[in-house]
Amino acid sequence: MAEHGVTNNRLTSLLNITIPSPVQSIRLNDTVLTVKRDDLIHPIISGNKWRKIKYQLLDAVQNNNQHVISFGGGFSNHLHALAYCCQQLGIKFTAIVRGDYSQNLTPMLQDLIAWRSDIRYVNKITYQARNGSYLQTLKQEFPQSIIVPEGGSSQYALQGVGEIINELHDEYDYIIAPVASGGTLAGLINRVSEQSLSTKILGIGVLQGKGYLEELVNELLPTNNHANYLVNHDYHFGGYAKKTVELVDYCEKFFQQNKIAIEPVYSGKLFFAIQQLIAQNYFPTESRILALHTGGIQGTRK
């Protein structure tokens, strides 16, 4: 177990996290786009996953909590990152996984087993009750544990994700990020509001969730938050982890042109959407645009 009273900086050092993440300029359709490379934070604790779980983990270590529980699918970047962190810190980790992969382990789940995580496979009905009756069952079974929401999207995420804004040396007209569980977008919105910046936050929905994604974001935000944000729902390609030949080809060509690896679940949809919006003249001329590369490759591993 990491030592009691460990600091923010010490935790980052213990896990070999590279902060601040670098920025890189690329050109899309004759428009200069700045990319915040959170995918380079750590080879395993990828991208926004670290931002969202950082302060939850810090709280666990400082309070000497011995057990962390969280939720996700068989290819979850969140479970992968959190399981690795817990293994490194000597904390027991239990993954509640949607669906039974016991006879067909994904590479992500094989890693969790190697890191000595406890894996519980649950059916869709049980998983859907992760914020209700099943959550209460887990609390009763493990009263001393910390239970982290799916995707790490909790109040802890606001502080961790907000540090992205603190790391920027320039002010942007738009900051654009993919949206799934809402924590990353909420963290960006909250910090922009706290600093009274004029930056517009644009989320690219990676699943079919018009209204639902906005609800997830709003539930995490303080009631007095009035930041300028919007979720675009036109580029989910049929739903979460859904993809087309066009999207896969785009990811490959994007890498060839920019030497930045992207994948069809999150980052591919993000950059595809940005390029389409630029072509449609969505952004005013000379807009300063930052794209947040949130990392995560578990959905592409075979």
Side-chain angles (χ1 to χ4, degrees):
M1 181 70 185
E3 63 267 32
H4 184 68
V6 69
T7 64
N8 181 348
N9 290 338
R10 179 61 178 150
L11 180 66
T12 300
S13 177
L14 282 169
L15 294 169
N16 295 312
I17 303 295
T18 301
I19 292 290
S21 60
V23 295
Q24 177 178 344
S25 293
I26 64 173
R27 187 171 290 274
L28 295 180
N29 295 8
D30 296 323
T31 295
V32 175
L33 176 72
T34 302
V35 183
K36 178 69 166 165
R37 298 291 306 275
D38 263 21
D39 57 309
L40 299 180
I41 283 176
H42 190 276
I44 296 175
I45 314 168
S46 184
N48 64 336
K49 306 312 172 190
W50 168 248
R51 305 282 191 181
K52 291 195 284 185
I53 64 177
K54 172 184 176 181
Y55 285 100
Q56 185 92 69
L57 282 172
L58 184 62
D59 185 66
V61 171
Q62 290 179 338
N63 288 288
N64 201 32
N65 293 113
Q66 301 287 339
H67 188 197
V68 171
I69 302 171
S70 196
F71 309 86
F75 295 88
S76 170
N77 292 293
H78 163 68
L79 289 182
H80 194 251
L82 186 54
Y84 177 82
C85 288
C86 287
Q87 189 267 343
Q88 292 293 302
L89 296 170
I91 299 172
K92 179 182 177 182
F93 179 64
T94 297
I96 309 298
V97 177
R98 181 183 64 251
D100 187 352
Y101 292 84
S102 59
Q103 301 304 311
N104 187 26
L105 293 171
T106 66
M108 187 279 287
L109 291 169
Q110 291 175 30
D111 285 345
L112 262 62
I113 291 171
W115 298 331
R116 300 185 182 280
S117 302
D118 176 29
I119 301 174
R120 291 192 175 191
Y121 301 107
V122 299
N123 59 35
K124 183 177 180 180
I125 294 175
T126 300
Y127 193 84
Q128 287 177 337
R130 66 190 178 279
N131 297 320
S133 59
Y134 185 53
L135 177 63
Q136 298 307 314
T137 298
L138 289 171
K139 286 181 177 180
Q140 291 174 6
E141 184 177 357
F142 303 107
Q144 303 302 317
S145 68
I146 287 179
I147 302 180
V148 180
E150 181 184 48
S153 292
S154 69
Q155 291 299 313
Y156 288 96
L158 297 184
Q159 185 176 359
V161 173
E163 292 176 350
I164 293 171
I165 304 298
N166 299 345
E167 293 175 13
L168 301 176
H169 298 298
D170 299 309
E171 187 172 343
Y172 294 88
D173 299 301
Y174 292 88
I175 296 179
I176 312 175
V179 190
S181 61
T184 299
L185 206 68
L188 295 172
I189 295 164
N190 189 60
R191 187 57 53 89
V192 163
S193 177
E194 288 178 343
Q195 297 187 2
S196 299
L197 302 177
S198 61
T199 305
K200 299 178 178 66
I201 305 298
L202 175 61
I204 304 300
V206 301
L207 51 86
Q208 294 191 52
K210 193 169 185 177
Y212 169 71
L213 292 179
E214 288 85 350
E215 183 179 332
L216 290 179
V217 172
N218 291 333
E219 284 177 350
L220 291 169
L221 291 172
T223 55
N224 62 346
N225 190 290
H226 301 291
N228 191 353
Y229 90 94
L230 177 71
V231 178
N232 183 299
H233 296 276
D234 296 336
Y235 299 98
H236 53 67
F237 285 84
Y240 182 69
K242 301 292 185 182
K243 59 188 176 183
T244 64
V245 172
E246 180 185 22
L247 179 59
V248 173
D249 288 345
Y250 178 82
C251 292
E252 294 175 356
K253 291 177 181 176
F254 185 93
F255 175 71
Q256 292 171 3
Q257 293 170 358
N258 302 293
K259 305 308 177 192
I260 300 175
I262 60 175
E263 42 67 49
V265 181
Y266 297 99
S267 53
K269 293 178 180 180
L270 170 73
F271 288 103
F272 184 95
I274 293 172
Q275 190 151 353
Q276 291 293 309
L277 292 171
I278 290 172
Q280 297 164 17
N281 297 315
Y282 176 88
F283 306 103
T285 304
E286 298 184 358
S287 292
R288 297 161 296 176
I289 307 169
L290 179 87
L292 177 61
H293 191 324
T294 55
I297 62 167
Q298 296 309 310
T300 64
R301 294 175 70 191
K302 303 298 183 183

